[in-house]
Amino acid sequence: MAKTVHTTCAYCGVGCGIKAEVSDQTLHLVNIQGNEDHPANFGRLCSKGSALGETVSLENRLLTPEVDGEVVHWDRALESVASRLRDTVAQYGPDAVALYGSGQLMTEDYYVANKLMKGFIGSANIDTNSRLCMASTVAGHKRAFGSDTLPNCYEDLEQCDLLVLVGSNTAWCHPVLFQRIRAAKQQRPEMKVVVIDPRKTDTCDIADLHLPLRPGTDVALFAGLLMHLSERGVVDGHYVEQHTTGLQGALKAAEESAGSIQKVAEICDLDCQSVEAFYRWFASLDKTVTAWSQGVNQSVAGTDKVNAIINCHLLTGRIGKPGSGPLSLTGQPNAMGGREVGGLASQLAAHMDFSDPADIDRVRRFWQAPAMADKPGKTAVDMFQAVEKGKIKFIWIMGTNPLVSMPDADQCRAALAKCPTVVVSDCIKTTDTSAYADILLPAAGWSEKDGTVTNSERRISRQKALFPLSGDARPDWWIVSQVATCLGFSEAFNYQQASQIFCEHAALSGFENSDSGKRRDFDISALSRLTENDYDQLQPLQWPVSGRGHYTAVGSKRLFAGGGFFTEDRKARFVPTCFSWQRNQPDEDYPLLLNTGRIRDQWHTMTRTALSARLSQHIDEPFIEVHPDDASRLMIKDQSYCRVSSAFGNAVLKVTVTDSCKQGTVFAPMHWSRTNSRSGAIGSLVNPLTDPVSRQPDCKHTPVRLEAFDFNWHGVFLTREKLDMQAFTYGTEVRMQHGFRYELSDDQDLTESLNMSGDRIRYLDPVSGCTRHVLFKQNKLQGILITDCQPVQCDRSWLQSAFARSEWSVTDRWQLLAGNAPQGEGEGQTVCACFGVGERLICRAIAADGITDPAQVGQTLKAGTNCGSCIPEIRRLIKSVHTSSS
Ligand SMILES: Nc1nc2c(c(=O)[nH]1)N[C@H]1C(S)=C(S)[C@@H](COP(=O)(O)OP(=O)(O)OC[C@H]3O[C@@H](n4cnc5c(=O)[nH]c(N)nc54)[C@H](O)[C@@H]3O)O[C@H]1N2
Ligand SMILES: Nc1nc2c(c(=O)[nH]1)N[C@H]1C(S)=C(S)[C@@H](COP(=O)(O)OP(=O)(O)OC[C@H]3O[C@@H](n4cnc5c(=O)[nH]c(N)nc54)[C@H](O)[C@@H]3O)O[C@H]1N2
Ligand code: SF4
Ligand SMILES: [Mo]
């Protein structure tokens, strides 16, 4: 029976509301639309959100528990986890156990995992991938505000006169917010946007000013800004006086490191005019929002970067006001929720802290905890190092794929290989990490889970099940509670529904957190008595939530405009900052700096987005961006291959020569893994250096070396069946609608290792040595293989579309052998993932209709009219068509 479910997107921290029309529960058929009433997106979705329906099949789902490689019933699996955990604690103490979780767990999952570890096992060795993501912001917020509070909301991104985007590729990573910003700027063209990023990303499409600073030097830029504002008297004296302390110390530190515009320009490798222009706008435009993401957080100076930014907002009193404030953009759908439940090793639940013995005691009493942890536990990098050293002997990994996403991933792999017990909870069967599991636990996936998530603007939204649980899959909170029960804690973990957990979490947030002696920012106690029905009806709302005990309570858009910080004296702190970017500078052996990050249509380690053929077409292979000067010096050609090495590991990647990359730096995506590529996983190269305050690793700056890497044989293999790529030195798997495409390379001709059974037609070009094979079974196209001694040139998207065809004449079969579409046909590489519109189609329309504006492309081909993330690319195509024709 058809039904419509209001839920939240599975991916980024924008937290878009979704209307899911389920047409068939057993076949997992669902139509995904944006929810017009949701205040995060008002109906919009990006390419990834729109494609959720293509990722909910049972393909590669983990559907049964496994212990030591054997499929078992839940009883046995739970008992195995519990007994190995119990034995480890008995023999080596609670700190020999660790849990590594994820900002993609729901609040309810996260809450019980944290409760079990910190209250009942007695160790704070629970950390999460949020350590790689938000830790610097958490630490920066706490240093400045005394609490991890985000003072502003999304509307401020639209209402400001100056938007400063620091280390954020908003266009690709928070696409719906980018659309909202673009629309606001179209309405008020006087609104200024400054992008601060060493790379020229698609986010620069709306920038009035792009500052391609030297990587890692943001602290100097903002310290210089603090000086500049102070010298020019752009100071909210009343605010500083009433609500802050520490200005003099911060100014002194700023003067020492960034005393003049010239000095800033030199440190940041920028020209003085650009720095001046930025400072001038910041000084003159009162309504300023500074939004940031991983270019700030993932740095050895991450926490100082955050505080250098916040300092400027405190000085000008631009905080928590409409159109004014510092706004960190969270990455994962529930990164914020994880911070609320205390999922990090350095925190307690409900924004309480290990540094306060009263907090420890308060949480202990609330949980009636028999073994309350009383000190912080190991943070991600330290945790995996402790596993390798044998100090941690039991690790439970939940909702994250660390063998791809951790820095120095080979070290983590060695650690898991050695660890006596590795438990992995995932909804996907084969991942780089699950390959190392002793115990595999099948988790329910996004489309089967019920709970809450909190987005970047502190907005709590319900996530709801679309389908019944598949196979033996269970929600993460259920799995944790059952293990707790096996350990003898049945009373404290006797949850039947997610709503009971949510209410307990809400109650803890209000526990001894009274209005008179109020000390904690995170308070949603008004939601602690929701009935099952209230919980189901819960509308998206922002914490803190005032109002007494009912779900109609109102949330809070903004905080701190009138002070009221969560420090002892209720005042915010200016933090003296210094920049330690020198710690990972290039040297003779590793002369370039490797920057890593995201692409538009893939989510992290691709376990889910790579299930969608549509999302796999825009960028289909791991790559490395190199500046033209560096490329020519190293004699590395565009679209050739190169070996990238750091002190930690290496990879072989396809080269994209582009001046969007700053000279001396290279950029590679974080997404590919050993599961879908032979040599494209970048995590092995990334240095495990961490910020001294937040312990967040610096995934953005690793010294590396590049060398041209030639192969004698290249093959493109399109097939309906999955291929094991082990035999090839280089290989990437690309999802297509009806099977897979493999990009393969090696030193020797490996044609014969590919399965080519069927009716084969073959063509050998005697001059180039290029071969082409087309394979049919009855009248069904089974496979296509094109090989060459250089990277293969052919029309990949057209060849892929051939697999949808059912009738084949002899002439058509021969056309396939040509490897290219007939003249004037073929769409080319996908540009618009939402409507599957290719580059060549767009270029033909531009030329034919004399198009000068992306909106016209939209009218003709629909491209760019859904999520709009491809608009910057369409603009580039318009430019290139007109340049080449003039
Ligand atoms: N498509 C897509 N969207 C996503 C995700 C995804 O996997 N795919 N993941 C989500 C998650 S969890 C996160 S955390 C966010 C991340 O969102 P973003 O932080 O926007 O994404 P990144 O590509 O990691 O990095 C952002 C930029 O930081 C720049 N940068 C590097 N070093 C420096 C520096 O020293 N200073 C400055 N100012 N900039 C620097 C990089 O060049 C890069 O363009 O995205 C979320 N959204
Ligand atoms: N080099 C480099 N490395 C990085 C970054 C970078 O910029 N550069 N960014 C870092 C950042 S910001 C982040 S957030 C991390 C992300 O890195 P990861 O968290 O490792 O990436 P994901 O692919 O999102 O992993 C989520 C896993 O959980 C599974 N899963 C999905 N839903 C559920 C569920 O409901 N329950 C359970 N149990 N499992 C589920 C998925 O199948 C997948 O295996 O990567 C970090 N690593
Ligand atoms: S911006 Fe895209 S990925 Fe992020 S929540 Fe919205 S639809 Fe999902
Ligand atoms: Mo993240």
Side-chain angles (χ1 to χ4, degrees):
M1 204 182 64
K3 61 169 182 177
T4 301
V5 182
H6 286 189
T7 183
T8 314
C9 178
Y11 302 117
C12 86
V14 177
C16 295
I18 280 178
K19 253 181 5 201
E21 288 163 25
V22 180
S23 50
D24 191 317
Q25 287 209 323
T26 17
L27 293 177
H28 284 198
L29 294 181
V30 59
N31 175 20
I32 302 284
Q33 303 281 335
N35 178 355
E36 300 86 356
D37 298 326
H38 197 287
N41 56 318
F42 299 106
R44 300 170 176 96
L45 290 179
C46 78
S47 53
K48 296 180 296 305
S50 312
L52 270 167
E54 292 155 46
T55 64
V56 293
S57 72
L58 294 187
E59 188 184 336
N60 203 14
R61 274 293 300 274
L62 176 63
L63 293 172
T64 45
E66 289 178 27
V67 174
D68 300 327
E70 192 191 328
V71 171
V72 297
H73 289 296
W74 267 114
D75 288 354
R76 170 76 203 287
L78 295 166
E79 196 40 56
S80 302
V81 177
S83 63
R84 293 183 199 190
L85 200 159
R86 197 186 297 116
D87 293 349
T88 309
V89 173
Q91 212 178 336
Y92 305 101
D95 288 333
V97 170
L99 200 151
Y100 184 61
S102 165
Q104 291 166 74
L105 296 169
M106 293 183 310
T107 298
E108 292 74 5
D109 304 323
Y110 233 139
Y111 177 87
V112 288
N114 189 55
K115 178 175 175 180
L116 176 64
M117 274 305 289
K118 290 189 185 137
F120 292 77
I121 290 172
S123 168
N125 279 347
I126 167 169
D127 212 45
T128 91
N129 60 6
S130 281
R131 180 70 56 190
L132 320 179
C133 182
M134 303 313 303
S136 296
T137 289
V138 174
H141 280 167
K142 283 168 96 168
R143 287 205 301 195
F145 310 145
S147 60
D148 177 19
T149 319
L150 184 112
N152 285 74
C153 64
Y154 292 164
E155 275 172 27
D156 299 324
L157 295 165
E158 298 165 323
Q159 294 177 359
C160 60
D161 293 326
L162 171 63
L163 174 61
V164 187
L165 294 168
V166 197
S168 160
N169 187 5
T170 328
W172 282 12
C173 297
H174 296 92
V176 164
L177 289 182
F178 188 72
Q179 275 190 65
R180 288 180 62 171
I181 298 164
R182 186 198 284 281
K185 196 166 154 54
Q186 265 159 4
Q187 273 200 337
R188 292 190 299 117
E190 68 277 15
M191 171 181 170
K192 295 262 184 288
V193 176
V194 177
V195 172
I196 301 173
D197 190 316
R199 281 197 308 152
K200 184 162 188 274
T201 62
D202 271 7
T203 303
C204 297
D205 195 47
I206 57 162
D208 298 282
L209 178 65
H210 170 219
L211 298 179
L213 84 178
R214 191 196 307 277
T217 59
D218 307 70
V219 173
L221 186 65
F222 282 89
L225 176 61
L226 189 75
M227 287 286 301
H228 180 87
L229 296 170
S230 159
E231 281 166 2
R232 302 249 163 343
V234 187
V235 176
D236 183 338
H238 178 76
Y239 194 89
V240 171
E241 171 74 20
Q242 293 293 309
H243 304 304
T244 72
T245 62
L247 175 59
Q248 289 319 315
L251 281 175
K252 188 160 168 275
E255 179 157 25
E256 275 161 20
S257 58
S260 68
I261 286 185
Q262 286 76 2
K263 189 162 175 197
V264 171
E266 203 176 300
I267 295 171
C268 301
D269 190 26
L270 294 167
D271 57 69
C272 288
Q273 291 88 326
S274 309
V275 177
E276 241 167 8
F278 167 47
Y279 286 5
R280 209 177 328 114
W281 286 345
F282 204 104
S284 62
L285 298 170
D286 191 45
K287 283 181 148 184
T288 302
V289 168
T290 308
W292 70 86
S293 196
Q294 298 313 336
V296 168
N297 293 336
Q298 289 174 344
S299 159
V300 286
T303 313
D304 272 4
K305 287 188 185 186
V306 171
N307 287 113
I309 293 169
I310 293 175
N311 283 346
C312 297
H313 281 269
L314 289 174
L315 184 77
T316 48
R318 295 176 193 165
I319 182 165
K321 293 180 184 156
S324 269
L327 204 162
S328 123
L329 297 171
T330 57
Q332 301 178 88
N334 201 30
M336 190 65 97
R339 286 144 72 174
E340 292 154 20
V341 302
L344 292 163
S346 40
Q347 312 174 315
L348 277 171
H351 283 199
M352 284 180 268
D353 217 280
F354 282 110
S355 61
D356 184 352
D359 274 357
I360 301 175
D361 189 54
R362 189 172 297 115
V363 179
R364 183 187 61 74
R365 283 183 283 116
F366 183 86
W367 282 343
Q368 301 185 4
M372 191 67 207
D374 57 6
K375 57 174 194 311
K378 291 227 158 19
T379 56
V381 171
D382 295 343
M383 182 182 276
F384 281 89
Q385 286 174 354
V387 173
E388 196 183 8
K389 287 189 194 119
K391 296 210 166 96
I392 290 173
K393 295 183 185 295
F394 175 108
I395 186 165
W396 186 351
I397 298 165
M398 207 180 283
T400 175
N401 193 0
L403 293 196
V404 186
S405 57
M406 279 289 287
D408 198 2
D410 292 347
Q411 183 274 323
C412 298
R413 182 170 280 106
L416 292 194
K418 268 192 197 166
C419 186
T421 307
V422 178
V423 182
V424 173
S425 304
D426 206 295
C427 49
I428 298 292
K429 195 175 167 77
T430 42
T431 73
D432 284 24
T433 305
S434 68
Y436 287 79
D438 301 294
I439 302 180
L440 270 173
L441 304 174
W446 168 78
S447 59
E448 302 156 352
K449 289 182 86 164
D450 255 302
T452 55
V453 291
T454 310
N455 73 3
S456 289
E457 59 167 358
R458 289 174 276 104
R459 191 179 295 280
I460 301 169
S461 292
R462 283 281 279 110
Q463 190 177 303
K464 291 185 190 172
L466 314 182
F467 311 121
L469 295 168
S470 298
D472 286 341
R474 292 291 177 271
D476 291 285
W477 64 260
W478 182 90
I479 301 173
V480 178
S481 306
Q482 292 299 308
V483 168
T485 302
C486 293
L487 289 167
F489 310 126
S490 55
E491 216 174 305
F493 290 85
N494 183 22
Y495 306 112
Q496 310 305 316
Q497 282 108 9
S499 61
Q500 295 168 321
I501 305 168
F502 183 81
C503 289
E504 183 179 316
H505 161 61
L508 174 55
S509 76
F511 184 58
E512 299 176 1
N513 194 9
S514 69
D515 285 339
S516 51
K518 194 170 176 69
R519 307 172 329 114
R520 282 155 26 215
D521 62 331
F522 179 68
D523 186 353
I524 55 165
S525 52
L527 306 176
S528 62
R529 293 207 188 89
L530 300 186
T531 63
E532 189 59 22
N533 189 46
D534 295 340
Y535 181 71
D536 260 351
Q537 303 300 321
L538 190 70
Q539 295 304 308
L541 87 181
Q542 289 170 285
W543 64 258
V545 187
S546 56
R548 280 286 148 246
H550 201 262
Y551 70 92
T552 51
V554 269
S556 317
K557 269 191 185 173
R558 302 183 180 87
L559 293 99
F560 304 149
F565 294 93
F566 293 91
T567 49
E568 286 295 320
D569 57 9
R570 311 305 300 254
K571 290 185 176 186
R573 303 278 182 272
F574 282 96
V575 180
T577 58
C578 76
F579 59 102
S580 41
W581 59 275
Q582 297 93 334
R583 269 176 67 203
N584 38 0
Q585 283 305 289
D587 57 25
E588 231 167 77
D589 290 338
Y590 301 106
L592 297 164
L593 210 47
L594 171 70
N595 176 6
T596 62
R598 290 155 173 79
I599 62 171
R600 197 186 75 190
D601 293 345
Q602 291 297 346
W603 178 259
H604 295 161
T605 72
M606 297 169 72
T607 63
R608 290 170 296 158
T609 38
L611 293 169
S612 158
R614 207 150 48 102
L615 295 179
S616 302
Q617 302 307 318
H618 178 240
I619 295 179
D620 53 3
E621 238 183 309
F623 61 91
I624 186 151
E625 288 181 356
V626 186
H627 187 273
D629 294 353
D630 293 323
S632 70
R633 192 168 41 79
L634 294 164
M635 293 191 291
I636 292 176
K637 289 204 291 287
D638 188 41
Q639 300 307 303
S640 69
Y641 293 87
C642 76
R643 178 192 284 280
V644 192
S645 332
S646 77
F648 304 91
N650 52 65
V652 177
L653 298 168
K654 197 161 201 179
V655 174
T656 305
V657 175
T658 166
D659 58 11
S660 69
C661 206
K662 194 175 171 76
Q663 201 196 344
T665 73
V666 292
F667 174 85
M670 63 168 289
H671 304 288
W672 276 270
S673 64
R674 293 201 182 176
T675 306
N676 59 17
S677 80
R678 285 288 292 138
S679 61
I682 205 74
S684 310
L685 283 79
V686 176
N687 56 202
L689 283 182
T690 58
D691 176 278
V693 185
S694 69
R695 306 306 268 170
Q696 175 156 355
D698 188 330
C699 297
K700 296 279 185 262
H701 316 98
T702 303
V704 293
R705 175 173 68 231
L706 260 60
E707 293 144 297
F709 198 81
D710 278 341
F711 293 105
N712 296 321
W713 179 88
H714 298 269
V716 178
F717 186 41
L718 296 89
T719 162
R720 291 188 188 268
E721 275 135 40
K722 220 173 164 73
L723 169 77
D724 180 352
M725 295 183 286
Q726 284 301 322
F728 301 85
T729 310
Y730 179 93
T732 301
E733 179 179 285
V734 187
R735 166 81 40 163
M736 43 185 221
Q737 205 70 47
H738 303 276
F740 302 90
R741 164 158 59 88
Y742 293 91
E743 298 289 334
L744 306 164
S745 301
D746 205 274
D747 288 338
Q748 47 179 334
D749 186 338
L750 287 175
T751 305
E752 290 317 313
S753 73
L754 296 165
N755 176 8
M756 305 282 274
S757 58
D759 313 327
R760 192 182 335 182
I761 34 179
R762 188 180 352 199
Y763 170 80
L764 172 75
D765 187 326
V767 184
S768 67
C770 166
T771 67
R772 299 180 188 141
H773 311 247
V774 175
L775 211 69
F776 277 88
K777 268 188 192 152
Q778 275 95 38
N779 202 23
K780 195 173 178 192
L781 175 61
Q782 216 47 46
I784 302 172
L785 170 68
I786 302 182
T787 72
D788 205 338
C789 54
Q790 50 194 333
V792 176
Q793 307 270 350
C794 64
D795 188 339
R796 290 164 169 79
S797 66
W798 181 75
L799 291 174
Q800 286 181 187
S801 67
F803 283 74
R805 215 163 131 178
S806 52
E807 291 302 316
W808 287 96
S809 68
V810 176
T811 8
D812 290 345
R813 290 184 189 203
W814 279 98
Q815 178 74 50
L816 279 182
L817 273 191
N820 283 305
Q823 192 72 34
E825 286 179 36
E827 293 204 3
Q829 183 108 6
T830 300
V831 173
C832 168
C834 295
F835 296 113
V837 189
E839 177 177 322
R840 253 183 282 143
L841 200 60
I842 295 175
C843 289
R844 282 203 293 268
I846 295 171
D849 303 346
I851 287 176
T852 53
D853 187 67
Q856 293 165 281
V857 174
Q859 280 156 15
T860 319
L861 298 169
K862 284 174 90 175
T865 56
N866 180 44
C867 80
S869 293
C870 59
I871 290 175
E873 206 167 324
I874 294 177
R875 205 189 303 285
R876 281 198 296 275
L877 292 177
I878 294 175
K879 214 168 145 188
S880 81
V881 170
H882 293 314
T883 326
S884 64
S885 66
S886 63

